[in-house]
Amino acid sequence: MARKRVAVLFGGVSKDHKVSLMSAYSVLNGLNKSLYDVIPIGITTAGRWLYFPGDYSLIPSGKWEEDPDCCSAVLSPDPLHGGIIKIMSGTEGGESCSLQRIDVIFPVLNGKYGECGQIQALCKLSSISYVGSGFTAANACSDKVLTHLILNRAGIKTAKFYELERVNIDAVEGQFAEIENQINYPMYVKAAVTSRSVGANFANNRDELKAAIKLAFSHHHKILVEEAIKGKELECLVWGSVYALNVSKIAETADNFELVVPAQIDSATSARIAEISKTAFLSLGCTDFARMTFKLSDAGELYCCKVSNMPGFTENDIMARLMQESGYEYAEMLDMLLESAKEA
């Protein structure tokens, strides 16, 4: 049986570039080479696409870009091509091109431009199967304002929030009283379309709120001011087809950021999380998998904080840990992801 040709996209121009490099290193080493013909395509922080045929150990440090065997490579949007076009420099200053056909694309990309729907849309244009949710679900999960609105409409509780737009930045000064009237301190301020930690900060008073808003606006034109919910942080993974959804074991994040699996919660709370997670998954239009982050408040209320359609993929990341607790080793998880890759 012919090996499946898998293009692994990694890197990217977002602040999560290094996170992607670590995930790609794990994925590239974890893929079964007897089943897959792997084509690594790295994207630099400047946005250059490079075919990388070198040593995977160079990826985490970023030194892969210096490999002399790298060449420009682009994913063609023309479905007739069905693959990557490599562009190589000739001996006399000219260039030559070759086509590398692809069966499936594994976008190991995080943050802005990686999990927001653009890459997924390009895969769709190319008519090449790809791992993960479609571009509309990717956009809904990455845009935190949109996520809030969709989840609230589905009856899922989220943190109270206030949306601000950079285009109305001159009016922000006059909105502080309204924000404080709706949301108590401490507040959590974050950019709308970045990963969770990028451009995010807590604010305990108005001066800190002003500083946090300024920081968040430096990362995106749209930001959220949320209530900061105290309580236990819980993680779960939804995976499978929309007709047969499964929820992995539920984990909790301890004070030292260690993952405790299974979470120290009662069975009724676990069942509620499973039910809410499936509803969120379907409401956002996710397919194949999504990682859900919850807060269980001290009062026993459950809040859905984040839905990630493209989480970290290292062997130590939450997704792999939860799959392992559910009985699937890392290589098996990668096989499942590629097997479920949707037809573009």
Side-chain angles (χ1 to χ4, degrees), residues 50-180:
L50 299 172
Y51 166 63
F52 172 63
D55 185 347
Y56 295 161
S57 66
L58 297 175
I59 291 176
S61 66
K63 291 183 178 179
W64 68 273
E65 297 179 27
E66 302 168 13
D67 191 300
D69 293 325
C70 282
C71 68
S72 292
V74 293
L75 175 59
S76 173
D78 188 339
L80 184 64
H81 292 152
I84 300 288
I85 296 175
K86 299 176 184 175
I87 306 168
M88 294 152 284
S89 299
T91 56
E92 299 179 4
E95 294 180 334
S96 61
C97 299
S98 66
L99 176 64
Q100 172 72 68
R101 293 194 177 276
I102 302 296
D103 294 314
V104 60
I105 293 170
F106 197 150
V108 186
L109 297 164
N110 304 101
K112 196 174 181 181
Y113 304 128
E115 54 184 294
C116 307
Q118 291 94 333
I119 288 292
Q120 291 80 2
L122 180 55
C123 294
K124 180 73 174 178
L125 285 172
S126 304
S127 290
I128 300 174
S129 298
Y130 58 97
V131 171
S133 294
F135 58 91
T136 53
N139 180 60
C141 290
S142 64
D143 185 328
K144 299 177 183 68
V145 173
L146 194 52
T147 303
H148 269 284
L149 295 174
I150 292 173
L151 294 182
N152 290 165
R153 187 172 181 179
I156 296 171
K157 184 174 289 188
T158 63
K160 293 178 183 177
F161 75 101
Y162 195 100
E163 179 188 356
L164 294 169
E165 288 272 4
R166 191 191 290 143
V167 69
N168 299 320
I169 196 166
D170 292 339
V172 170
E173 194 75 25
Q175 293 176 287
F176 288 127
E178 186 176 353
I179 294 171
E180 291 166 336

Side-chain angles (χ1 to χ4, degrees), residues 195-221:
S195 66
R196 189 174 175 184
S197 60
V198 174
N201 239 323
F202 285 99
N204 295 290
N205 52 57
R206 185 172 290 193
D207 286 340
E208 291 183 4
L209 178 59
K210 290 178 180 179
I213 287 173
K214 183 178 180 180
L215 173 66
F217 270 140
S218 71
H219 291 279
H220 199 264
H221 65 86

Side-chain angles (χ1 to χ4, degrees), residues 130-335:
Y130 58 97
V131 171
S133 294
F135 58 91
T136 53
N139 180 60
C141 290
S142 64
D143 185 328
K144 299 177 183 68
V145 173
L146 194 52
T147 303
H148 269 284
L149 295 174
I150 292 173
L151 294 182
N152 290 165
R153 187 172 181 179
I156 296 171
K157 184 174 289 188
T158 63
K160 293 178 183 177
F161 75 101
Y162 195 100
E163 179 188 356
L164 294 169
E165 288 272 4
R166 191 191 290 143
V167 69
N168 299 320
I169 196 166
D170 292 339
V172 170
E173 194 75 25
Q175 293 176 287
F176 288 127
E178 186 176 353
I179 294 171
E180 291 166 336
N181 186 52
Q182 292 188 24
I183 303 172
N184 295 324
Y185 289 108
M187 302 177 190
Y188 188 52
V189 184
K190 56 188 178 183
V193 185
T194 61
S195 66
R196 189 174 175 184
S197 60
V198 174
N201 239 323
F202 285 99
N204 295 290
N205 52 57
R206 185 172 290 193
D207 286 340
E208 291 183 4
L209 178 59
K210 290 178 180 179
I213 287 173
K214 183 178 180 180
L215 173 66
F217 270 140
S218 71
H219 291 279
H220 199 264
H221 65 86
K222 184 167 60 177
I223 69 171
L224 292 86
V225 180
E226 288 184 344
E227 64 174 327
I229 300 166
K230 295 181 180 179
K232 184 176 290 190
E233 185 163 293
L234 303 166
E235 303 276 357
C236 77
L237 182 71
V238 181
W239 54 280
S241 72
V242 294
Y243 302 106
L245 290 178
N246 299 282
V247 175
S248 68
K249 300 241 184 213
I250 297 167
E252 67 178 274
T253 306
D255 291 338
N256 56 357
F257 297 104
E258 285 292 319
L259 200 66
V260 179
V261 190
Q264 304 303 299
I265 54 177
D266 58 75
S267 58
T269 301
S270 294
R272 283 169 58 207
I273 290 173
E275 182 182 355
I276 294 170
S277 296
K278 291 179 182 180
T279 300
F281 186 93
L282 296 174
S283 299
L284 291 162
C286 298
T287 55
D288 301 340
F289 62 91
R291 198 188 96 199
M292 311 279 178
T293 303
F294 289 87
K295 272 290 184 71
L296 178 61
S297 74
D298 297 336
E301 293 288 337
L302 266 175
Y303 297 83
C304 187
C305 301
K306 181 175 173 58
V307 179
S308 178
N309 70 296
M310 197 56 62
F313 285 108
T314 73
E315 294 181 66
N316 295 318
D317 274 318
I318 292 173
M319 180 172 179
R321 290 280 307 278
L322 290 173
M323 287 296 283
Q324 186 177 42
E325 289 294 330
S326 297
Y328 301 95
E329 295 303 318
Y330 184 68
E332 290 180 281
M333 181 190 82
L334 297 179
D335 289 341

